[in-house]
Amino acid sequence: MTAYVLPAPAVPTVPVGGEAAVFPVRRIFCVGRNYAAHRREMGSDDRDPPFFFTKPADAAAPPGVDVPYPPGTRNLHHEIELVVALGAGGANVPVERALDLVYGYAAGVDLTRRDLQNAAKDKGQPWDASKAFDFSAPISAIRKGAAAPQGRIRLAVNGVVRQDASLADMIWSTPEIIAEASRLWRLAPGDLIFTGTPEGVGPLAVGDKVTGEIEGVGALSFTVRSA
Ligand code: MN
């Protein structure tokens, strides 16, 4: 048995519907600009393909965890996203076999310090401070099953709907995202992939109650609390 000089960090986990055991999170990949209407609201060129960025595994905030308003921003934004949870890994996975890697799906929110992201874009700097902060990935319980969901994806703040779109509007489909990611990384069990957000992103304030839902997948809710 390995002896550590410090207590080893706990494995971040997400609950699974119908299971007492929990899903261990290995990495969190995220897709940017995967819905045409959101690309337009962010001022992107329609010809730019989607792309990946990452968050640390311990950014995952499972159900029941309220989210502290993060330091260093005055413009915290919500982005509701379908999350793919991988139960198997692989590299260079063909699109036709990509869903074989899927353990299940969840609803997640890619929280973003939009002011820092815009500044990073202007300066050509990385997005880590704008995307990969503590509690930046609230997530629902995982629903088991490999078939890619096709329904509506919605987010409301204090009961007012802000985002309401169809998963069918994704530019890269779920199997295409897995296949694409597997060309860039050897995917592994425990990896989560946030698949991009539709239009309607907007700011959150302390005290806001955020509710998200994806048809056939699940729902999440959290309150933004003071730090
Ligand atoms: Mn996003």
mmCIF file of all heavy atoms in Angstrom, residues 174-199:
data_model
loop_
_atom_site.group_PDB
_atom_site.id
_atom_site.type_symbol
_atom_site.label_atom_id
_atom_site.label_comp_id
_atom_site.label_asym_id
_atom_site.label_seq_id
_atom_site.Cartn_x
_atom_site.Cartn_y
_atom_site.Cartn_z
ATOM 1 N N THR A 174 -24.007 13.658 -29.743
ATOM 2 C CA THR A 174 -23.314 12.951 -28.658
ATOM 3 C C THR A 174 -22.284 11.947 -29.181
ATOM 4 O O THR A 174 -21.131 11.966 -28.732
ATOM 5 C CB THR A 174 -24.348 12.281 -27.728
ATOM 6 O OG1 THR A 174 -25.119 13.313 -27.106
ATOM 7 C CG2 THR A 174 -23.678 11.435 -26.666
ATOM 8 N N PRO A 175 -22.629 11.053 -30.133
ATOM 9 C CA PRO A 175 -21.589 10.130 -30.620
ATOM 10 C C PRO A 175 -20.427 10.852 -31.301
ATOM 11 O O PRO A 175 -19.258 10.441 -31.161
ATOM 12 C CB PRO A 175 -22.326 9.235 -31.629
ATOM 13 C CG PRO A 175 -23.775 9.486 -31.440
ATOM 14 C CD PRO A 175 -23.944 10.767 -30.688
ATOM 15 N N GLU A 176 -20.712 11.931 -32.002
ATOM 16 C CA GLU A 176 -19.631 12.688 -32.661
ATOM 17 C C GLU A 176 -18.702 13.334 -31.634
ATOM 18 O O GLU A 176 -17.480 13.392 -31.828
ATOM 19 C CB GLU A 176 -20.216 13.759 -33.588
ATOM 20 C CG GLU A 176 -20.826 13.172 -34.844
ATOM 21 C CD GLU A 176 -21.629 14.183 -35.654
ATOM 22 O OE1 GLU A 176 -22.065 15.213 -35.101
ATOM 23 O OE2 GLU A 176 -21.855 13.914 -36.846
ATOM 24 N N ILE A 177 -19.273 13.817 -30.516
ATOM 25 C CA ILE A 177 -18.451 14.425 -29.463
ATOM 26 C C ILE A 177 -17.513 13.381 -28.859
ATOM 27 O O ILE A 177 -16.316 13.637 -28.671
ATOM 28 C CB ILE A 177 -19.352 15.025 -28.366
ATOM 29 C CG1 ILE A 177 -20.048 16.286 -28.882
ATOM 30 C CG2 ILE A 177 -18.545 15.333 -27.101
ATOM 31 C CD1 ILE A 177 -21.191 16.755 -27.996
ATOM 32 N N ILE A 178 -18.050 12.194 -28.545
ATOM 33 C CA ILE A 178 -17.216 11.137 -27.949
ATOM 34 C C ILE A 178 -16.108 10.734 -28.913
ATOM 35 O O ILE A 178 -14.935 10.601 -28.532
ATOM 36 C CB ILE A 178 -18.089 9.930 -27.562
ATOM 37 C CG1 ILE A 178 -19.087 10.323 -26.464
ATOM 38 C CG2 ILE A 178 -17.229 8.735 -27.135
ATOM 39 C CD1 ILE A 178 -20.201 9.307 -26.247
ATOM 40 N N ALA A 179 -16.469 10.541 -30.181
ATOM 41 C CA ALA A 179 -15.474 10.139 -31.178
ATOM 42 C C ALA A 179 -14.390 11.209 -31.317
ATOM 43 O O ALA A 179 -13.187 10.905 -31.351
ATOM 44 C CB ALA A 179 -16.161 9.879 -32.520
ATOM 45 N N GLU A 180 -14.819 12.467 -31.378
ATOM 46 C CA GLU A 180 -13.872 13.579 -31.523
ATOM 47 C C GLU A 180 -12.940 13.658 -30.305
ATOM 48 O O GLU A 180 -11.720 13.802 -30.434
ATOM 49 C CB GLU A 180 -14.675 14.874 -31.689
ATOM 50 C CG GLU A 180 -13.887 16.076 -32.094
ATOM 51 C CD GLU A 180 -13.387 16.019 -33.530
ATOM 52 O OE1 GLU A 180 -14.001 15.331 -34.372
ATOM 53 O OE2 GLU A 180 -12.357 16.661 -33.792
ATOM 54 N N ALA A 181 -13.519 13.565 -29.098
ATOM 55 C CA ALA A 181 -12.693 13.627 -27.885
ATOM 56 C C ALA A 181 -11.687 12.484 -27.856
ATOM 57 O O ALA A 181 -10.543 12.659 -27.418
ATOM 58 C CB ALA A 181 -13.578 13.588 -26.636
ATOM 59 N N SER A 182 -12.116 11.311 -28.351
ATOM 60 C CA SER A 182 -11.233 10.133 -28.279
ATOM 61 C C SER A 182 -10.078 10.214 -29.262
ATOM 62 O O SER A 182 -9.142 9.423 -29.189
ATOM 63 C CB SER A 182 -12.044 8.852 -28.533
ATOM 64 O OG SER A 182 -12.283 8.659 -29.915
ATOM 65 N N ARG A 183 -10.143 11.171 -30.194
ATOM 66 C CA ARG A 183 -8.992 11.401 -31.074
ATOM 67 C C ARG A 183 -7.949 12.285 -30.389
ATOM 68 O O ARG A 183 -6.802 12.337 -30.808
ATOM 69 C CB ARG A 183 -9.458 12.064 -32.374
ATOM 70 C CG ARG A 183 -10.039 11.072 -33.363
ATOM 71 C CD ARG A 183 -10.306 11.717 -34.719
ATOM 72 N NE ARG A 183 -11.628 12.306 -34.786
ATOM 73 C CZ ARG A 183 -12.732 11.607 -35.023
ATOM 74 N NH1 ARG A 183 -12.668 10.311 -35.223
ATOM 75 N NH2 ARG A 183 -13.902 12.201 -35.077
ATOM 76 N N LEU A 184 -8.385 13.011 -29.344
ATOM 77 C CA LEU A 184 -7.495 13.960 -28.669
ATOM 78 C C LEU A 184 -6.989 13.443 -27.328
ATOM 79 O O LEU A 184 -5.934 13.866 -26.852
ATOM 80 C CB LEU A 184 -8.243 15.286 -28.464
ATOM 81 C CG LEU A 184 -8.628 15.991 -29.767
ATOM 82 C CD1 LEU A 184 -9.640 17.086 -29.511
ATOM 83 C CD2 LEU A 184 -7.400 16.555 -30.457
ATOM 84 N N TRP A 185 -7.779 12.571 -26.670
ATOM 85 C CA TRP A 185 -7.398 11.970 -25.397
ATOM 86 C C TRP A 185 -7.787 10.501 -25.451
ATOM 87 O O TRP A 185 -8.751 10.145 -26.129
ATOM 88 C CB TRP A 185 -8.163 12.600 -24.223
ATOM 89 C CG TRP A 185 -7.883 14.046 -24.006
ATOM 90 C CD1 TRP A 185 -6.867 14.576 -23.260
ATOM 91 C CD2 TRP A 185 -8.633 15.171 -24.514
ATOM 92 N NE1 TRP A 185 -6.943 15.957 -23.287
ATOM 93 C CE2 TRP A 185 -8.013 16.347 -24.044
ATOM 94 C CE3 TRP A 185 -9.761 15.311 -25.339
ATOM 95 C CZ2 TRP A 185 -8.473 17.627 -24.350
ATOM 96 C CZ3 TRP A 185 -10.218 16.578 -25.646
ATOM 97 C CH2 TRP A 185 -9.575 17.724 -25.158
ATOM 98 N N ARG A 186 -7.064 9.638 -24.702
ATOM 99 C CA ARG A 186 -7.559 8.278 -24.468
ATOM 100 C C ARG A 186 -8.617 8.388 -23.389
ATOM 101 O O ARG A 186 -8.300 8.631 -22.224
ATOM 102 C CB ARG A 186 -6.438 7.323 -24.056
ATOM 103 C CG ARG A 186 -6.956 5.933 -23.677
ATOM 104 C CD ARG A 186 -5.839 4.929 -23.473
ATOM 105 N NE ARG A 186 -5.167 4.611 -24.737
ATOM 106 C CZ ARG A 186 -5.639 3.753 -25.646
ATOM 107 N NH1 ARG A 186 -6.763 3.091 -25.418
ATOM 108 N NH2 ARG A 186 -4.975 3.541 -26.756
ATOM 109 N N LEU A 187 -9.865 8.259 -23.765
ATOM 110 C CA LEU A 187 -10.963 8.405 -22.808
ATOM 111 C C LEU A 187 -10.941 7.248 -21.830
ATOM 112 O O LEU A 187 -10.430 6.164 -22.136
ATOM 113 C CB LEU A 187 -12.298 8.484 -23.550
ATOM 114 C CG LEU A 187 -12.418 9.699 -24.473
ATOM 115 C CD1 LEU A 187 -13.734 9.637 -25.258
ATOM 116 C CD2 LEU A 187 -12.318 11.007 -23.694
ATOM 117 N N ALA A 188 -11.517 7.475 -20.640
ATOM 118 C CA ALA A 188 -11.440 6.470 -19.584
ATOM 119 C C ALA A 188 -12.748 6.448 -18.799
ATOM 120 O O ALA A 188 -13.475 7.444 -18.747
ATOM 121 C CB ALA A 188 -10.275 6.781 -18.652
ATOM 122 N N PRO A 189 -13.038 5.294 -18.160
ATOM 123 C CA PRO A 189 -14.213 5.239 -17.286
ATOM 124 C C PRO A 189 -14.120 6.330 -16.224
ATOM 125 O O PRO A 189 -13.047 6.550 -15.658
ATOM 126 C CB PRO A 189 -14.121 3.840 -16.647
ATOM 127 C CG PRO A 189 -13.229 3.050 -17.554
ATOM 128 C CD PRO A 189 -12.282 4.038 -18.177
ATOM 129 N N GLY A 190 -15.240 6.986 -15.967
ATOM 130 C CA GLY A 190 -15.257 8.078 -14.998
ATOM 131 C C GLY A 190 -15.168 9.451 -15.630
ATOM 132 O O GLY A 190 -15.421 10.456 -14.959
ATOM 133 N N ASP A 191 -14.824 9.526 -16.906
ATOM 134 C CA ASP A 191 -14.799 10.825 -17.576
ATOM 135 C C ASP A 191 -16.226 11.336 -17.771
ATOM 136 O O ASP A 191 -17.147 10.560 -18.098
ATOM 137 C CB ASP A 191 -14.112 10.716 -18.947
ATOM 138 C CG ASP A 191 -12.601 10.530 -18.838
ATOM 139 O OD1 ASP A 191 -12.031 10.826 -17.767
ATOM 140 O OD2 ASP A 191 -11.997 10.087 -19.839
ATOM 141 N N LEU A 192 -16.402 12.642 -17.569
ATOM 142 C CA LEU A 192 -17.653 13.331 -17.878
ATOM 143 C C LEU A 192 -17.402 14.262 -19.056
ATOM 144 O O LEU A 192 -16.334 14.866 -19.146
ATOM 145 C CB LEU A 192 -18.135 14.180 -16.693
ATOM 146 C CG LEU A 192 -18.479 13.466 -15.392
ATOM 147 C CD1 LEU A 192 -18.849 14.500 -14.319
ATOM 148 C CD2 LEU A 192 -19.635 12.482 -15.600
ATOM 149 N N ILE A 193 -18.384 14.371 -19.943
ATOM 150 C CA ILE A 193 -18.278 15.330 -21.048
ATOM 151 C C ILE A 193 -19.504 16.231 -21.028
ATOM 152 O O ILE A 193 -20.635 15.766 -21.222
ATOM 153 C CB ILE A 193 -18.170 14.636 -22.420
ATOM 154 C CG1 ILE A 193 -17.049 13.593 -22.421
ATOM 155 C CG2 ILE A 193 -17.929 15.686 -23.507
ATOM 156 C CD1 ILE A 193 -16.970 12.797 -23.729
ATOM 157 N N PHE A 194 -19.302 17.527 -20.762
ATOM 158 C CA PHE A 194 -20.354 18.540 -20.890
ATOM 159 C C PHE A 194 -20.429 18.907 -22.376
ATOM 160 O O PHE A 194 -19.414 19.257 -22.977
ATOM 161 C CB PHE A 194 -20.014 19.772 -20.054
ATOM 162 C CG PHE A 194 -20.308 19.633 -18.576
ATOM 163 C CD1 PHE A 194 -19.698 18.645 -17.821
ATOM 164 C CD2 PHE A 194 -21.192 20.498 -17.942
ATOM 165 C CE1 PHE A 194 -19.967 18.523 -16.455
ATOM 166 C CE2 PHE A 194 -21.472 20.380 -16.589
ATOM 167 C CZ PHE A 194 -20.862 19.395 -15.839
ATOM 168 N N THR A 195 -21.624 18.822 -22.966
ATOM 169 C CA THR A 195 -21.737 18.826 -24.433
ATOM 170 C C THR A 195 -22.098 20.185 -25.037
ATOM 171 O O THR A 195 -22.433 20.258 -26.211
ATOM 172 C CB THR A 195 -22.762 17.778 -24.881
ATOM 173 O OG1 THR A 195 -24.029 18.097 -24.312
ATOM 174 C CG2 THR A 195 -22.346 16.380 -24.446
ATOM 175 N N GLY A 196 -21.995 21.255 -24.267
ATOM 176 C CA GLY A 196 -22.273 22.581 -24.811
ATOM 177 C C GLY A 196 -23.661 23.062 -24.434
ATOM 178 O O GLY A 196 -24.544 22.277 -24.099
ATOM 179 N N THR A 197 -23.832 24.395 -24.473
ATOM 180 C CA THR A 197 -25.093 24.992 -24.018
ATOM 181 C C THR A 197 -25.834 25.657 -25.168
ATOM 182 O O THR A 197 -25.209 26.176 -26.103
ATOM 183 C CB THR A 197 -24.824 26.023 -22.903
ATOM 184 O OG1 THR A 197 -26.033 26.268 -22.176
ATOM 185 C CG2 THR A 197 -24.293 27.347 -23.449
ATOM 186 N N PRO A 198 -27.168 25.656 -25.103
ATOM 187 C CA PRO A 198 -27.945 26.410 -26.090
ATOM 188 C C PRO A 198 -28.019 27.890 -25.711
ATOM 189 O O PRO A 198 -27.464 28.320 -24.697
ATOM 190 C CB PRO A 198 -29.325 25.747 -26.024
ATOM 191 C CG PRO A 198 -29.440 25.243 -24.625
ATOM 192 C CD PRO A 198 -28.028 24.886 -24.193
ATOM 193 N N GLU A 199 -28.705 28.656 -26.517
ATOM 194 C CA GLU A 199 -28.824 30.100 -26.312
ATOM 195 C C GLU A 199 -29.597 30.419 -25.027
ATOM 196 O O GLU A 199 -30.303 29.575 -24.498
ATOM 197 C CB GLU A 199 -29.551 30.728 -27.516
ATOM 198 C CG GLU A 199 -31.024 30.338 -27.646
ATOM 199 C CD GLU A 199 -31.253 29.010 -28.360
ATOM 200 O OE1 GLU A 199 -30.305 28.207 -28.491
ATOM 201 O OE2 GLU A 199 -32.406 28.785 -28.776
#
